Amino acid sequence: MKIAVAKEVEVGERRVALVPEIVARLVKQGLEVWVEAGAGDRSFFDDTAYEAAGAKIISNPDILWKEADILLKVGLPQEREDGRSEIDLLREGAVLIGFLNPLGQPTVAQQLAERKVTAFSIEMIPRTTRAQSMDALSSQASLAGYKAVLIAAAALPKYFPMLTTAAGTIAPAKVFVMGAGVAGLQAIATARRLGAVVEAFDIRPAVKEEVQSLGAKFVEVQLQEDTVAAGGYAKEISEAAKQRTQEVVAEHVKHSDVVITTAQVPGKKAPILVTEEMVAEMKPGSVIVDLAAEQGGNCACTDPGKDVLWNGVTIIGPINLPSSMPVHASQLYAKNLATLVQYLVKDNALQLNFEDDIINTACITHAGEIRNQRVRDILAQVSTTV
Ligand code: NAD
C-alpha cells in the first residue's frame, strides 16, 4: 500500500497531513509512505527528516496523486495552476482522507463520487470514545481554543492576572467563554492559567460540571426545550430560546474584558450570540475573539479573517487558527490520520467493513456513490433551487 502525503496548496494552510515521527511508525508497520517534496516546509518538517523516517520524497505531484493508494491531506482537494483538479489526478478506487467539508461543500463529494474515489471525511468521524484517537475535530479545536485566548490577551490593553505591585493593585481580567465544547473548554483552561476570572455559557447543560472543574463559573439559562442532538452535539434552538439566552448573557458580555465565542451547530450557520447592542454596551478596549467566524460568526460585528474596531471594542474573527500552530497541529492531526489508516488497512490491504460505525459514518463516497444521506439531501436541494 502506498500512503501519499500531498503538499497543501491552499493559501494560509501551513499544516501537513503526516509528520516524520508518524511516518516512521507507518513504515515500521510495512506501509510505503510517499511525501511530496516540500510538503512539511511550512510546518518546519523538512524533506530530509521525512527521508530519515523512511519516506520516499516525490517531486512530481502528478505522480504522487496518480499512484497513491491512500492520499492524505489536511484540506479540500484544489484546482492546480494548470487548471486541473487534484481530484481528477486520483485513480479510480484510490482512498482520499482529509477535512473534506461534505456538508459545507457537497459538490466536492459529488466530484469524488464521480471519480469513483473512496473518500473519508475526517470531520465525520463519530465523536465516540472508540474513535477518540482519530478525532481531528477535537485535536484541532483544542489548538484553536488555546490560541484564541493568546490572541485576546495580546489585543487586550490590560493584564490578564491579578497583580499586587508597589505601584498599586491590578484587578484580573474578566473572560466570558460562550460555547463550552472542545475549543471552549481549552479556552477556559488557558484563560485560567493566565490568571483571568472566567465565566462560561453553553446551551448543553451537561457541560456545567466540566466548566466548573476548570475553575470557571457556569452561566445557567433555563430553556424549555431539548438542546442536545444525536452524538452529543448542540441542536439549533428556537427563536424564543435564542431571545432568552441573549437576555441572560447580555449582562455577562457587558461586564467582560474578553469574550471568546465558539458556538457551532454542525452543518448550520453559527448562531448569533453577541448582538450589536451587546457590543455597544461593552467597555472600550474590550476584545471579542470569534472562533465561529468561518461559519458566519457568533458576533453580529464579526468580519471573518479581519480585526474590526467597533465603538472601541476589538472584534477578531480568525480563520483557520490551528494552521497558525502548524507543528503541534500537524503532529496531532498526523496521529489522528495514522490511527484511521491503521484501522482501514489490515495485512497491507484495504478492509472496508461498512458494518463498522466509524467506517460507515466517515466514508462519504465509495464505488461511485455518495454514501452520506445528509450530503445527498443538500445536493438535491441545491439542484432543485438552481
Ligand atoms: P461544536 O464545535 O459543534 O460547538 C461548540 C459548542 O457550542 C458546543 O459545546 C455547543 O453545545 C455550543 N453551542 C451551540 N449552539 C450554542 C448556542 N446557541 N449557545 C451557546 N452554546 C452553543 O462542539 P464540539 O466542541 O465539537 O463538541 C461537540 C460534542 O462532541 C460535545 O458533546 C462534546 O462533548 C462531544 N465530544 C465527544 C468526544 C468523545 O466522546 N470522544 C470527543 C469530542 C467531543
Side-chain angles (χ1 to χ4, degrees):
M1 295 287 290
K2 275 194 207 82
I3 315 292
V5 177
K7 186 172 174 169
E8 301 300 314
V9 289
E10 194 179 347
V11 179
E13 184 53 78
R14 294 175 59 194
R15 293 170 290 177
V16 60
L18 287 184
V19 300
E21 180 200 339
I22 301 292
V23 167
R25 281 193 221 170
L26 293 175
V27 169
K28 208 167 156 196
Q29 284 159 17
L31 297 168
E32 193 177 338
V33 182
W34 286 15
V35 176
E36 186 174 339
D41 282 356
R42 289 200 285 170
S43 37
F44 308 101
F45 301 106
D46 61 24
D47 289 350
T48 52
Y50 284 105
E51 262 177 328
K56 189 169 162 190
I57 303 298
I58 308 291
S59 306
N60 184 340
D62 286 16
I63 294 177
L64 182 114
W65 279 82
K66 278 179 194 154
E67 306 249 331
D69 293 308
I70 300 183
L71 193 129
L72 304 179
K73 262 190 70 58
V74 178
L76 286 165
Q78 302 284 314
E79 190 133 306
R80 304 188 77 93
E81 277 172 9
D82 60 10
R84 281 183 305 167
S85 157
E86 288 179 333
I87 294 173
D88 295 333
L89 295 174
L90 284 167
R91 62 169 179 76
E92 280 187 15
V95 174
L96 173 70
I97 308 178
F99 279 108
L100 303 177
N101 191 13
L103 301 178
Q105 283 173 272
T107 49
V108 175
Q110 192 166 30
Q111 287 167 31
L112 287 164
E114 282 162 9
R115 187 76 199 124
K116 297 195 171 63
V117 168
T118 299
F120 283 85
S121 188
I122 197 79
E123 59 270 73
M124 304 300 272
I125 293 275
R127 312 296 287 277
T128 56
T129 309
R130 208 162 65 88
Q132 220 163 6
S133 51
M134 306 172 200
D135 182 357
L137 274 185
S138 287
S139 69
Q140 305 301 297
S142 186
L143 290 148
Y146 166 83
K147 194 65 183 274
V149 173
L150 300 191
I151 290 172
L156 188 72
K158 290 183 171 184
Y159 271 120
F160 255 43
M162 187 184 108
L163 292 176
T164 310
T165 79
T169 300
I170 301 285
K174 287 186 182 153
V175 175
F176 186 29
V177 176
M178 303 176 85
V182 180
L185 291 172
Q186 187 58 257
I188 294 169
T190 308
R192 290 283 300 137
R193 277 184 218 120
L194 284 180
V197 171
V198 185
E199 292 183 324
F201 158 70
D202 198 296
I203 50 167
R204 290 184 300 120
V207 298
K208 179 179 174 179
E209 274 178 32
E210 289 176 89
V211 166
Q212 288 174 335
S213 72
L214 292 170
K217 185 180 159 215
F218 188 67
V219 173
E220 296 205 44
V221 184
Q222 304 293 343
L223 296 177
Q224 306 304 321
E225 62 189 54
D226 190 7
T227 54
V228 185
Y233 285 105
K235 264 188 187 165
E236 195 172 28
I237 52 173
S238 67
E239 280 308 315
K242 278 183 198 161
Q243 183 121 23
R244 171 90 191 104
T245 56
Q246 286 184 359
E247 279 161 20
V248 176
V249 300
E251 271 306 292
H252 297 268
V253 171
K254 182 177 171 180
H255 294 112
S256 298
D257 297 297
V258 168
V259 174
I260 300 203
T261 64
T262 77
Q264 295 194 38
V265 179
K268 306 261 179 207
K269 193 174 175 294
I272 292 288
L273 306 181
V274 183
T275 60
E276 278 188 12
E277 292 75 18
M278 290 187 208
V279 180
E281 290 284 314
M282 291 178 81
K283 292 183 289 286
S286 305
V287 176
I288 299 173
V289 179
D290 189 348
L291 283 191
E294 271 166 276
Q295 280 70 41
N298 290 141
C299 173
C301 306
T302 298
D303 190 351
K306 304 233 167 77
D307 294 4
V308 177
L309 189 63
W310 203 92
N311 259 0
V313 177
T314 304
I315 301 126
I316 303 171
I319 302 284
N320 196 359
L321 270 190
S323 170
S324 71
M325 296 172 63
V327 172
H328 281 157
S330 303
Q331 183 184 321
L332 298 168
Y333 183 64
K335 179 69 202 308
N336 297 143
L337 288 193
T339 312
L340 178 59
V341 167
Q342 285 159 338
Y343 199 72
L344 296 175
V345 178
K346 303 266 158 30
D347 299 325
N348 224 10
L350 193 65
Q351 306 277 331
L352 290 180
N353 171 16
F354 289 114
E355 303 284 301
D356 180 296
D357 74 313
I358 298 176
I359 295 175
N360 187 40
T361 317
C363 182
I364 55 162
T365 66
H366 177 63
E369 302 284 336
I370 296 179
R371 299 190 65 261
N372 183 293
Q373 186 59 43
R374 278 177 79 191
V375 179
R376 283 200 297 265
D377 290 347
I378 298 170
L379 279 167
Q381 261 176 17
V382 173
S383 63
T384 48
T385 44
V386 167

Coordinates of all heavy atoms in Angstrom, one line a residue, residues 201-280:
F201 N -20.6 29.8 29.2 CA -22.1 29.5 28.9 C -22.2 28.5 27.8 O -21.4 28.6 26.8 CB -22.8 30.8 28.6 CG -24.0 30.7 27.8 CD1 -25.2 30.1 28.4 CD2 -24.1 31.0 26.5 CE1 -26.3 29.9 27.7 CE2 -25.3 30.8 25.8 CZ -26.4 30.3 26.4
D202 N -23.1 27.6 27.9 CA -23.4 26.7 26.8 C -24.8 26.3 26.9 O -25.4 26.2 28.0 CB -22.5 25.5 26.8 CG -22.4 24.7 25.5 OD1 -23.4 24.2 25.1 OD2 -21.3 24.7 24.9
I203 N -25.5 26.0 25.7 CA -26.9 25.5 25.8 C -27.0 24.1 26.2 O -28.1 23.6 26.6 CB -27.7 25.8 24.5 CG1 -26.9 25.2 23.3 CG2 -28.0 27.2 24.3 CD1 -27.8 25.1 22.1
R204 N -25.8 23.4 26.2 CA -25.9 22.0 26.7 C -25.6 22.0 28.2 O -24.5 22.2 28.6 CB -24.8 21.1 25.9 CG -25.2 20.9 24.5 CD -24.2 20.0 23.8 NE -22.8 20.5 23.8 CZ -21.8 19.9 24.4 NH1 -21.9 18.8 25.0 NH2 -20.6 20.5 24.4
P205 N -26.6 21.7 29.0 CA -26.4 21.8 30.4 C -25.3 20.8 30.9 O -24.7 21.0 32.0 CB -27.8 21.4 31.0 CG -28.7 21.0 29.9 CD -28.0 21.3 28.6
A206 N -25.1 19.7 30.2 CA -24.1 18.7 30.6 C -22.7 19.2 30.8 O -21.9 18.6 31.5 CB -24.1 17.5 29.6
V207 N -22.4 20.4 30.2 CA -21.0 20.8 30.3 C -20.7 21.6 31.6 O -19.6 22.0 31.9 CB -20.6 21.7 29.1 CG1 -20.7 21.0 27.8 CG2 -21.4 23.0 29.0
K208 N -21.8 21.9 32.4 CA -21.7 22.7 33.6 C -20.5 22.1 34.5 O -19.6 22.9 34.9 CB -23.0 22.6 34.4 CG -22.9 23.4 35.7 CD -24.3 23.4 36.4 CE -24.2 24.0 37.7 NZ -25.5 24.0 38.4
E209 N -20.5 20.8 34.7 CA -19.5 20.3 35.6 C -18.1 20.4 35.1 O -17.1 20.7 35.8 CB -19.8 18.8 35.9 CG -20.8 18.6 37.0 CD -21.1 17.2 37.3 OE1 -20.2 16.3 37.0 OE2 -22.2 16.9 37.6
E210 N -18.0 20.2 33.7 CA -16.6 20.4 33.1 C -16.1 21.8 33.3 O -15.0 22.1 33.6 CB -16.7 20.0 31.6 CG -16.9 18.5 31.4 CD -17.0 18.2 29.9 OE1 -16.0 18.0 29.2 OE2 -18.2 18.2 29.4
V211 N -17.0 22.8 33.1 CA -16.7 24.2 33.2 C -16.2 24.5 34.6 O -15.2 25.1 34.8 CB -17.9 25.1 32.8 CG1 -17.7 26.5 33.2 CG2 -18.2 25.0 31.3
Q212 N -17.0 24.0 35.6 CA -16.7 24.2 37.0 C -15.4 23.6 37.4 O -14.6 24.1 38.1 CB -17.8 23.8 37.9 CG -19.0 24.7 37.7 CD -20.2 24.2 38.5 OE1 -20.4 23.0 38.7 NE2 -21.2 25.1 38.8
S213 N -15.1 22.4 36.8 CA -13.9 21.7 37.2 C -12.6 22.4 36.7 O -11.5 22.2 37.2 CB -13.9 20.2 36.7 OG -13.7 20.2 35.3
L214 N -12.8 23.3 35.7 CA -11.7 24.1 35.2 C -11.5 25.4 36.0 O -10.7 26.3 35.7 CB -11.8 24.4 33.7 CG -11.7 23.2 32.8 CD1 -12.1 23.5 31.4 CD2 -10.3 22.6 32.8
G215 N -12.4 25.6 37.0 CA -12.3 26.8 37.8 C -13.0 28.0 37.3 O -12.8 29.1 37.7
A216 N -14.0 27.7 36.4 CA -14.8 28.8 35.8 C -16.2 28.7 36.4 O -16.7 27.7 36.8 CB -14.8 28.8 34.3
K217 N -16.9 29.9 36.3 CA -18.3 29.9 36.7 C -19.2 29.6 35.5 O -19.0 30.1 34.5 CB -18.6 31.3 37.3 CG -20.0 31.4 37.9 CD -20.2 32.8 38.4 CE -21.7 33.0 38.5 NZ -22.1 34.4 38.2
F218 N -20.2 28.7 35.7 CA -21.1 28.4 34.6 C -22.3 29.3 34.7 O -23.0 29.4 35.7 CB -21.5 26.9 34.7 CG -22.3 26.5 33.5 CD1 -21.7 26.4 32.2 CD2 -23.7 26.1 33.6 CE1 -22.4 26.0 31.1 CE2 -24.4 25.7 32.5 CZ -23.8 25.7 31.2
V219 N -22.6 30.0 33.6 CA -23.8 30.8 33.5 C -25.0 30.0 33.0 O -24.9 29.4 31.9 CB -23.5 32.0 32.5 CG1 -24.8 32.8 32.3 CG2 -22.4 32.9 33.0
E220 N -26.0 29.9 33.9 CA -27.1 29.0 33.5 C -28.2 29.8 32.9 O -28.6 30.8 33.3 CB -27.6 28.3 34.8 CG -26.6 27.4 35.4 CD -27.1 26.3 36.2 OE1 -28.1 25.7 35.7 OE2 -26.6 26.0 37.3
V221 N -28.8 29.2 31.8 CA -30.0 29.7 31.2 C -31.0 28.5 31.2 O -30.7 27.5 30.6 CB -29.7 30.2 29.8 CG1 -31.0 30.8 29.2 CG2 -28.5 31.2 29.7
Q222 N -32.1 28.7 31.8 CA -33.2 27.7 31.8 C -33.9 27.7 30.5 O -34.6 28.7 30.3 CB -34.1 27.8 33.0 CG -33.5 27.9 34.4 CD -32.8 26.5 34.8 OE1 -33.1 25.5 34.2 NE2 -31.9 26.6 35.7
L223 N -33.8 26.7 29.7 CA -34.6 26.7 28.4 C -35.6 25.6 28.5 O -35.4 24.5 29.1 CB -33.7 26.5 27.3 CG -32.6 27.5 27.0 CD1 -31.7 27.1 25.9 CD2 -33.2 28.9 26.7
Q224 N -36.8 25.9 27.9 CA -37.9 24.9 28.0 C -37.8 24.0 26.8 O -38.9 23.5 26.3 CB -39.3 25.7 27.9 CG -39.4 26.7 29.0 CD -39.2 26.2 30.4 OE1 -39.6 25.1 30.7 NE2 -38.6 27.0 31.2
E225 N -36.7 23.7 26.2 CA -36.6 22.7 25.1 C -35.3 21.9 25.2 O -34.4 22.3 25.8 CB -36.7 23.5 23.8 CG -35.6 24.5 23.6 CD -35.8 25.4 22.4 OE1 -36.8 26.1 22.3 OE2 -34.9 25.5 21.5
D226 N -35.4 20.8 24.4 CA -34.2 19.9 24.3 C -33.1 20.6 23.5 O -33.4 21.1 22.4 CB -34.7 18.6 23.7 CG -33.6 17.6 23.9 OD1 -32.6 17.8 24.5 OD2 -33.8 16.5 23.3
T227 N -31.9 20.7 24.0 CA -30.8 21.4 23.2 C -29.8 20.5 22.7 O -28.8 20.9 22.1 CB -30.2 22.5 24.2 OG1 -29.7 21.8 25.4 CG2 -31.1 23.6 24.5
V228 N -29.9 19.2 23.0 CA -28.8 18.3 22.6 C -29.3 17.3 21.5 O -30.4 16.7 21.6 CB -28.4 17.4 23.8 CG1 -27.2 16.6 23.4 CG2 -28.0 18.4 25.0
A229 N -28.5 17.2 20.4 CA -28.9 16.4 19.3 C -28.1 15.1 19.4 O -27.3 14.9 20.3 CB -28.5 17.1 18.0
A230 N -28.3 14.2 18.4 CA -27.5 12.9 18.4 C -26.0 13.2 18.4 O -25.6 14.2 17.9 CB -27.9 12.2 17.1
G231 N -25.3 12.3 19.0 CA -23.8 12.4 19.1 C -23.4 13.5 20.1 O -22.2 13.8 20.1
G232 N -24.3 14.0 20.9 CA -23.9 15.0 21.9 C -23.7 16.4 21.4 O -23.4 17.3 22.2
Y233 N -24.0 16.6 20.1 CA -23.9 18.0 19.6 C -25.1 18.8 20.0 O -26.1 18.3 20.4 CB -23.9 17.9 18.1 CG -22.6 17.5 17.5 CD1 -22.4 16.2 16.9 CD2 -21.4 18.3 17.4 CE1 -21.2 15.8 16.4 CE2 -20.2 17.9 16.9 CZ -20.1 16.6 16.4 OH -19.0 16.2 15.8
A234 N -24.9 20.2 19.9 CA -26.0 21.1 20.2 C -27.0 21.1 19.0 O -26.6 20.8 17.9 CB -25.4 22.5 20.4
K235 N -28.2 21.3 19.4 CA -29.3 21.5 18.4 C -29.4 23.0 18.0 O -29.1 23.8 18.9 CB -30.6 21.0 19.0 CG -31.0 19.6 18.7 CD -32.5 19.5 19.2 CE -32.9 18.0 19.1 NZ -34.0 17.7 19.9
E236 N -30.0 23.2 16.9 CA -30.4 24.6 16.6 C -31.6 24.9 17.5 O -32.6 24.2 17.5 CB -30.7 24.8 15.2 CG -30.8 26.3 14.8 CD -30.9 26.5 13.3 OE1 -31.5 25.6 12.6 OE2 -30.5 27.5 12.8
I237 N -31.5 26.0 18.3 CA -32.6 26.3 19.2 C -33.7 27.3 18.6 O -33.4 27.9 17.6 CB -32.1 26.9 20.6 CG1 -31.2 28.1 20.4 CG2 -31.4 25.8 21.4 CD1 -30.8 28.7 21.7
S238 N -34.9 27.3 19.2 CA -35.9 28.1 18.7 C -35.6 29.6 18.9 O -34.8 30.0 19.6 CB -37.2 27.8 19.5 OG -37.1 28.2 20.8
E239 N -36.4 30.5 18.2 CA -36.2 31.9 18.3 C -36.4 32.4 19.7 O -35.7 33.2 20.2 CB -37.2 32.7 17.3 CG -36.7 32.7 15.9 CD -35.3 33.2 15.7 OE1 -34.9 34.2 16.3 OE2 -34.5 32.6 15.0
A240 N -37.4 31.8 20.4 CA -37.8 32.2 21.8 C -36.6 31.8 22.7 O -36.2 32.6 23.5 CB -39.0 31.4 22.2
A241 N -36.0 30.7 22.5 CA -34.8 30.3 23.3 C -33.6 31.2 23.0 O -32.9 31.5 23.9 CB -34.5 28.8 23.0
K242 N -33.5 31.6 21.7 CA -32.3 32.5 21.4 C -32.5 33.8 22.1 O -31.6 34.3 22.7 CB -32.3 32.7 19.9 CG -31.6 31.6 19.1 CD -31.6 32.0 17.6 CE -31.3 30.7 16.8 NZ -31.6 30.8 15.4
Q243 N -33.7 34.3 22.1 CA -34.0 35.6 22.8 C -33.7 35.4 24.3 O -33.1 36.3 24.9 CB -35.5 35.9 22.6 CG -36.0 37.2 23.2 CD -36.5 38.1 22.1 OE1 -37.0 37.6 21.1 NE2 -36.5 39.4 22.3
R244 N -34.2 34.3 24.9 CA -34.0 34.1 26.3 C -32.5 34.1 26.6 O -32.0 34.7 27.6 CB -34.7 32.8 26.7 CG -34.4 32.3 28.1 CD -35.4 32.8 29.1 NE -35.0 32.5 30.4 CZ -34.5 33.4 31.3 NH1 -34.4 34.7 30.9 NH2 -34.1 33.0 32.5
T245 N -31.7 33.3 25.8 CA -30.3 33.3 26.1 C -29.6 34.6 26.0 O -28.8 35.0 26.8 CB -29.5 32.2 25.2 OG1 -29.8 32.6 23.9 CG2 -30.0 30.8 25.5
Q246 N -30.1 35.4 24.9 CA -29.4 36.7 24.7 C -29.7 37.6 25.9 O -28.8 38.4 26.3 CB -30.0 37.3 23.4 CG -29.4 36.7 22.2 CD -29.8 37.3 20.9 OE1 -30.6 38.2 20.9 NE2 -29.3 36.8 19.8
E247 N -30.9 37.5 26.5 CA -31.3 38.4 27.6 C -30.3 38.1 28.8 O -29.8 39.0 29.5 CB -32.7 38.1 28.1 CG -33.8 38.8 27.3 CD -35.1 38.2 27.5 OE1 -35.4 37.4 28.5 OE2 -36.0 38.4 26.6
V248 N -30.1 36.8 29.0 CA -29.2 36.4 30.2 C -27.8 36.7 29.9 O -27.1 37.3 30.8 CB -29.4 34.9 30.5 CG1 -28.5 34.4 31.6 CG2 -30.8 34.5 30.8
V249 N -27.3 36.4 28.7 CA -25.8 36.6 28.5 C -25.5 38.1 28.4 O -24.3 38.4 28.6 CB -25.3 35.8 27.3 CG1 -25.5 34.3 27.5 CG2 -25.8 36.2 26.0
A250 N -26.4 38.9 28.0 CA -26.1 40.3 27.8 C -25.4 41.0 28.9 O -24.4 41.7 28.8 CB -27.4 41.1 27.5
E251 N -25.8 40.7 30.2 CA -25.2 41.3 31.3 C -23.8 40.8 31.5 O -22.9 41.5 31.9 CB -26.0 40.8 32.6 CG -27.1 41.8 33.0 CD -26.7 43.2 33.1 OE1 -25.9 43.5 34.1 OE2 -27.1 44.0 32.3
H252 N -23.5 39.5 31.2 CA -22.2 38.9 31.3 C -21.2 39.5 30.2 O -20.1 39.8 30.5 CB -22.2 37.4 31.3 CG -23.0 36.8 32.4 ND1 -22.5 36.5 33.6 CD2 -24.4 36.7 32.5 CE1 -23.4 36.0 34.4 NE2 -24.6 36.1 33.8
V253 N -21.8 39.7 29.0 CA -20.9 40.3 28.0 C -20.5 41.7 28.4 O -19.4 42.1 28.3 CB -21.7 40.3 26.6 CG1 -21.0 41.1 25.6 CG2 -22.0 38.9 26.1
K254 N -21.5 42.4 28.9 CA -21.3 43.8 29.2 C -20.2 44.0 30.2 O -19.4 44.9 30.1 CB -22.6 44.4 29.9 CG -22.6 45.8 30.3 CD -24.0 46.2 30.8 CE -24.0 47.6 31.4 NZ -25.3 47.9 31.9
H255 N -20.0 43.1 31.2 CA -19.0 43.2 32.2 C -17.7 42.5 31.9 O -16.9 42.4 32.8 CB -19.6 42.8 33.6 CG -20.7 43.7 34.0 ND1 -22.0 43.3 34.1 CD2 -20.7 45.0 34.4 CE1 -22.8 44.3 34.5 NE2 -22.0 45.4 34.7
S256 N -17.6 42.0 30.7 CA -16.4 41.2 30.4 C -15.3 42.1 29.7 O -15.7 43.0 28.9 CB -16.7 40.0 29.5 OG -17.6 39.2 30.1
D257 N -14.1 41.8 30.0 CA -13.0 42.4 29.2 C -12.8 41.7 27.9 O -12.4 42.2 26.9 CB -11.7 42.4 30.0 CG -11.8 43.2 31.3 OD1 -12.0 44.4 31.3 OD2 -11.7 42.6 32.4
V258 N -13.0 40.3 28.0 CA -12.7 39.5 26.8 C -13.9 38.6 26.7 O -14.4 38.0 27.6 CB -11.4 38.7 27.0 CG1 -11.3 37.6 25.9 CG2 -10.2 39.5 27.0
V259 N -14.4 38.4 25.4 CA -15.4 37.4 25.1 C -14.9 36.5 24.1 O -14.4 37.0 23.1 CB -16.8 38.1 24.7 CG1 -17.8 37.0 24.2 CG2 -17.4 39.0 25.8
I260 N -14.9 35.2 24.3 CA -14.5 34.3 23.3 C -15.7 33.4 22.9 O -16.3 32.8 23.8 CB -13.3 33.4 23.9 CG1 -12.2 34.3 24.3 CG2 -12.9 32.3 22.9 CD1 -10.9 33.8 24.4
T261 N -16.0 33.4 21.7 CA -17.2 32.7 21.2 C -16.8 31.5 20.4 O -15.9 31.6 19.5 CB -18.2 33.6 20.4 OG1 -17.5 34.0 19.2 CG2 -18.6 34.8 21.2
T262 N -17.4 30.4 20.7 CA -17.0 29.1 19.9 C -18.2 28.3 19.5 O -18.1 27.2 19.2 CB -16.1 28.2 20.9 OG1 -17.0 27.6 21.8 CG2 -15.1 29.0 21.6
A263 N -19.4 28.9 19.6 CA -20.7 28.1 19.5 C -20.9 27.7 18.0 O -20.9 28.6 17.1 CB -21.9 28.9 20.0
Q264 N -21.2 26.5 17.8 CA -21.5 26.0 16.5 C -22.5 24.9 16.6 O -22.6 24.2 17.6 CB -20.2 25.4 15.9 CG -19.2 26.5 15.6 CD -18.1 26.1 14.7 OE1 -18.3 25.4 13.8 NE2 -16.9 26.5 15.1
V265 N -23.3 24.8 15.5 CA -24.2 23.7 15.3 C -23.8 23.0 14.0 O -23.9 23.7 12.9 CB -25.7 24.2 15.2 CG1 -26.6 23.1 15.0 CG2 -26.0 25.0 16.5
P266 N -23.4 21.7 14.0 CA -22.9 21.1 12.8 C -23.8 21.3 11.6 O -25.0 21.1 11.7 CB -22.7 19.6 13.1 CG -22.6 19.6 14.6 CD -23.4 20.8 15.1
G267 N -23.2 21.7 10.4 CA -24.0 21.8 9.2 C -24.9 23.1 9.1 O -25.6 23.3 8.1
K268 N -24.8 24.0 10.1 CA -25.7 25.2 10.1 C -24.8 26.4 10.2 O -23.6 26.3 10.7 CB -26.6 25.2 11.3 CG -27.5 24.0 11.5 CD -28.9 24.2 10.9 CE -29.7 22.9 11.0 NZ -30.7 22.7 10.2
K269 N -25.4 27.5 9.9 CA -24.7 28.8 10.1 C -24.5 29.0 11.7 O -25.4 28.6 12.4 CB -25.5 29.9 9.5 CG -24.8 31.3 9.4 CD -25.7 32.2 8.7 CE -25.1 33.6 8.6 NZ -24.9 34.3 9.9
A270 N -23.4 29.6 12.1 CA -23.2 29.7 13.5 C -24.3 30.6 14.1 O -24.7 31.6 13.5 CB -21.9 30.3 13.8
P271 N -24.8 30.3 15.4 CA -25.8 31.2 16.0 C -25.2 32.5 16.4 O -24.1 32.6 16.9 CB -26.3 30.4 17.2 CG -25.1 29.5 17.5 CD -24.4 29.2 16.2
I272 N -26.0 33.6 16.3 CA -25.6 34.9 16.8 C -25.8 34.9 18.3 O -26.9 34.8 18.7 CB -26.3 36.1 16.1 CG1 -26.0 36.2 14.6 CG2 -26.1 37.4 16.8 CD1 -24.6 36.7 14.3
L273 N -24.7 35.1 19.0 CA -24.9 35.1 20.5 C -24.6 36.5 21.0 O -25.1 36.9 22.1 CB -23.8 34.2 21.1 CG -23.9 32.7 20.7 CD1 -22.8 31.9 21.5 CD2 -25.2 32.1 20.9
V274 N -23.8 37.3 20.3 CA -23.4 38.6 20.7 C -24.0 39.6 19.7 O -23.5 39.7 18.5 CB -21.9 38.8 20.9 CG1 -21.6 40.2 21.4 CG2 -21.3 37.7 21.8
T275 N -25.0 40.4 20.1 CA -25.6 41.3 19.1 C -24.9 42.6 19.1 O -24.0 42.9 20.0 CB -27.1 41.6 19.5 OG1 -27.0 42.1 20.9 CG2 -27.9 40.3 19.6
E276 N -25.2 43.5 18.1 CA -24.6 44.8 18.1 C -24.9 45.6 19.4 O -24.0 46.3 19.9 CB -25.2 45.6 16.9 CG -24.5 45.3 15.6 CD -24.9 46.2 14.5 OE1 -25.6 47.2 14.7 OE2 -24.6 45.9 13.3
E277 N -26.1 45.4 19.9 CA -26.5 46.1 21.1 C -25.6 45.7 22.3 O -25.2 46.5 23.1 CB -27.9 45.9 21.5 CG -29.0 46.4 20.6 CD -29.1 45.6 19.2 OE1 -28.7 44.5 19.2 OE2 -29.6 46.2 18.3
M278 N -25.2 44.4 22.3 CA -24.4 43.9 23.4 C -23.0 44.5 23.3 O -22.3 44.9 24.2 CB -24.3 42.4 23.4 CG -25.5 41.7 23.8 SD -25.2 39.9 23.9 CE -26.8 39.3 23.5
V279 N -22.5 44.6 22.0 CA -21.1 45.1 21.8 C -21.1 46.6 22.2 O -20.1 47.1 22.8 CB -20.7 45.0 20.3 CG1 -19.3 45.5 20.1 CG2 -20.7 43.5 19.9
A280 N -22.2 47.3 21.9 CA -22.3 48.7 22.2 C -22.2 49.0 23.7 O -21.8 50.0 24.2 CB -23.6 49.3 21.6

